[in-house]
Amino acid sequence: MRSYKSYESSYIGDIAALILAGISDGGLQSKVLDFGEDGRYSAYIVDEDAEIGSHYEKQHEFTNWMTIYDDDTCVRTYHAEKIIVYRAGDFGCIIQLIHER
């Protein structure tokens, strides 16, 4: 396993509450990813082999795809069998993309 810090990070938005949309709990869902205040946010984009710090907490989980919206703009869409979003502190964010092997 390798540390999440060794993975690339990617811009995900700049408002306090990003909207995540995707398949969750058997249907199309929208979820809020709350940062508390506006700022420039990025996330480490990791795979199933990443070692995620214990200070990160799982926030949301999606299957097949997840799209991030910032205000009214689509920022990015991710595709994987399972997508898990973690948060820590004021700015910490990890998006884990799990693909079937």
Side-chain angles (χ1 to χ4, degrees), residues 6-27:
S6 68
Y7 288 81
E8 296 287 322
S9 65
S10 181
Y11 171 79
I12 58 171
D14 59 17
I15 62 170
L18 301 174
I19 302 300
L20 311 177
I23 304 298
S24 181
D25 300 323

Side-chain angles (χ1 to χ4, degrees), residues 6 12 16 20-21 23 25 30 56 58 62 65 75 86-87 98:
S6 68
I12 58 171
L20 311 177
I23 304 298
D25 300 323
S30 61
Y56 277 87
K58 180 179 172 181
F62 297 91
W65 62 274
V75 176
Y86 298 89
R87 284 270 298 113
I98 300 173

Side-chain angles (χ1 to χ4, degrees), residues 5 16-17 24 28 38 41-42 46 59 61 65 75 101:
K5 291 181 181 181
S24 181
L28 181 61
D38 290 350
Y41 298 105
S42 61
V46 305
Q59 300 293 304
E61 184 173 321
W65 62 274
V75 176
R101 292 181 178 204

Side-chain angles (χ1 to χ4, degrees), residues 14-74:
D14 59 17
I15 62 170
L18 301 174
I19 302 300
L20 311 177
I23 304 298
S24 181
D25 300 323
L28 181 61
Q29 300 280 321
S30 61
K31 310 279 185 174
V32 175
L33 185 61
D34 187 18
F35 286 98
E37 64 181 68
D38 290 350
R40 184 170 174 82
Y41 298 105
S42 61
Y44 289 102
I45 310 304
V46 305
D47 59 22
E48 56 270 12
D49 296 326
E51 183 178 321
I52 296 172
S54 62
H55 59 292
Y56 277 87
E57 292 183 22
K58 180 179 172 181
Q59 300 293 304
H60 306 294
E61 184 173 321
F62 297 91
T63 56
N64 299 321
W65 62 274
M66 177 191 75
T67 299
I68 301 173
Y69 295 92
D70 177 358
D71 292 320
D72 60 356
T73 303
C74 173

